[in-house]
């Protein structure tokens, strides 16, 4: 069974951090209803959803993925690279601490969950503006006892590693090669490339064998279908204006029973 931790959209969403996306008006009411539909879609894929209340003082707090990492054996409280985001994690960490042993990335390390892609026992970490070498080194040490390896992957022109690449099947990655400065760490995986006109299209959520995916990338969606990948789509347009993507809005963990 799967559990997803999510958090309601902050009323302050329009004041979010933006790095590579130009600021444009955000309809917070619409963002809330899109987020609710996203949570229902997760439920339709077999997830129990633990929804935390909105944090009015933290514009980006709907993007719970960045404040923690969850593995089968352990959870890790991250230390987000954007200072404005460092107080978002407390309630998420409390929930995770009840489900897993909880470890922490400490100062001077920074690490955003959006920069961390785990495939089996291989953990790829974006070398980005948000996640630094101290964060990667700490993660390597924290995960070594559980048999995980940690490899840095240089990104460019995008916020997080998972803006550029996500896993869509056991051996298959969805990738925007233009946003990976070096794709060699992924040699050996089957790659589906995004359509060049859909540069933000490499971010998909995988729940077991199911994929949750934005409905605004029809050309890349066709490529997923051609590859035999079954996809459920959601409209997350207002969250995308906040430089969020579908992985950002949940922390997924395998659980014995739904919450
Ligand atoms: N607005 C998402 C982030 O910058 O973290």
């Amino acid at each position: 069974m799967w559990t997803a931790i999510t958090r309601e959209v902050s009323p302050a969403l329009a004041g979010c951090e933006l790095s590579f996306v130009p600021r444009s008006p955000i309809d917070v009411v619409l963002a809330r209803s899109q987020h609710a539909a996203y949570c229902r879609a997760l439920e339709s894929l077999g997830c129990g959803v633990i929804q935390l209340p909105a944090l009015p003082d933290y514009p980006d707090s709907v993007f719970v993925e960045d404040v923690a990492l969850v593995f089968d054996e352990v959870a890790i409280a991250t230390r987000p690279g954007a200072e404005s985001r460092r107080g978002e994690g407390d309630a998420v960490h409390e929930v995770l601490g009840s489900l897993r042993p909880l470890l922490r990335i400490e100062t001077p390390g920074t690490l955003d969950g959006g920069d961390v892609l785990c495939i089996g026992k291989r953990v790829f970490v974006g070398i980005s503006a948000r996640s630094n070498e101290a964060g990667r080194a700490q993660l390597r040490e924290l995960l070594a006892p559980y048999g995980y390896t940690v490899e840095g992957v240089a990104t460019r022109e995008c916020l997080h590693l998972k803006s550029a690449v996500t896993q869509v099947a056991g051996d298959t990655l969805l990738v925007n090669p233009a946003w990976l400065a070096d794709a060699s760490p992924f040699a050996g995986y089957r790659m589906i490339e995004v359509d060049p006109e859909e540069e933000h299209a490499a971010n998909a959520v995988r729940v077991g064998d199911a994929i949750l995916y934005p409905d605004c990338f029809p050309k890349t969606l066709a490529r997923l279908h051609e590859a035999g990948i079954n996809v459920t789509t959601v409209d997350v347009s207002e969250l995308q204006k906040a430089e969020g993507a579908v992985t950002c809005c949940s922390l997924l963990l395998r659980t014995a029973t739904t919450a």
Side-chain angles (χ1 to χ4, degrees):
M1 303 295 286
W2 289 89
T3 295
I5 299 173
T6 64
R7 185 185 282 289
E8 287 174 345
V9 172
S10 171
L13 178 66
C16 62
E17 297 279 344
L18 290 176
S19 303
F20 294 92
V21 168
R23 198 165 292 277
S24 62
I26 296 178
D27 180 338
V28 176
V29 174
L30 181 55
R32 282 209 188 102
S33 84
Q34 290 177 348
H35 185 261
Y38 169 91
C39 293
R40 285 197 300 274
L42 284 174
E43 285 170 345
S44 77
L45 299 179
C47 272
V49 174
I50 299 174
Q51 170 103 294
L52 298 170
L55 292 178
D57 293 336
Y58 291 96
D60 284 297
S61 50
V62 64
F63 303 128
V64 288
E65 172 185 57
D66 291 317
V67 301
L69 309 174
V70 194
F71 302 87
D72 286 346
E73 306 87 346
V74 67
I76 297 175
T78 63
R79 183 168 178 270
E83 218 171 314
S84 69
R85 303 200 55 191
R86 295 215 180 121
E88 289 175 19
D90 295 352
V92 174
H93 303 157
E94 199 174 310
V95 173
L96 286 174
S98 69
L99 298 167
R100 300 278 193 279
L102 184 70
L103 307 175
R104 284 183 187 276
I105 300 294
E106 307 281 1
T107 309
T110 65
L111 192 68
D112 277 15
D115 268 324
V116 180
L117 175 65
C118 179
I119 306 177
K121 288 284 186 181
R122 292 182 75 183
V123 179
F124 300 93
V125 183
I127 301 171
S128 75
R130 293 288 178 85
S131 300
N132 65 16
E133 176 49 37
R136 286 187 292 282
Q138 288 180 35
L139 186 64
R140 202 170 284 123
E141 283 202 13
L142 293 175
L143 289 177
Y146 302 98
Y148 292 90
T149 59
V150 172
E151 302 165 56
V153 182
T155 60
R156 63 181 167 212
E157 295 168 44
C158 65
L159 181 58
H160 288 134
L161 178 63
K162 278 189 276 192
S163 314
V165 56
T166 53
Q167 184 184 20
V168 289
D171 64 343
T172 306
L173 305 180
L174 179 61
V175 60
N176 177 349
W179 286 355
L180 287 177
D182 176 13
S184 64
F186 299 115
Y189 292 102
R190 180 169 74 131
M191 301 272 199
I192 300 172
E193 293 192 7
V194 301
D195 185 279
E197 290 174 17
E198 297 176 342
E199 57 179 2
H200 289 272
N203 186 274
V205 177
R206 185 165 182 242
V207 186
D209 290 331
I211 296 295
L212 190 59
Y213 190 68
D215 65 0
C216 59
F217 303 123
K219 293 178 176 175
T220 304
L221 184 60
R223 293 182 181 199
L224 289 168
H225 285 153
E226 278 162 26
I229 292 170
N230 191 21
V231 175
T232 297
T233 58
V234 281
D235 179 0
V236 287
S237 61
E238 299 310 295
L239 298 160
Q240 288 168 324
K241 290 179 190 171
E243 208 165 5
V246 283
T247 62
C248 308
C249 297
S250 56
L251 275 162
L252 291 169
L253 55 151
R254 252 187 286 263
T255 41
T257 57
T258 49

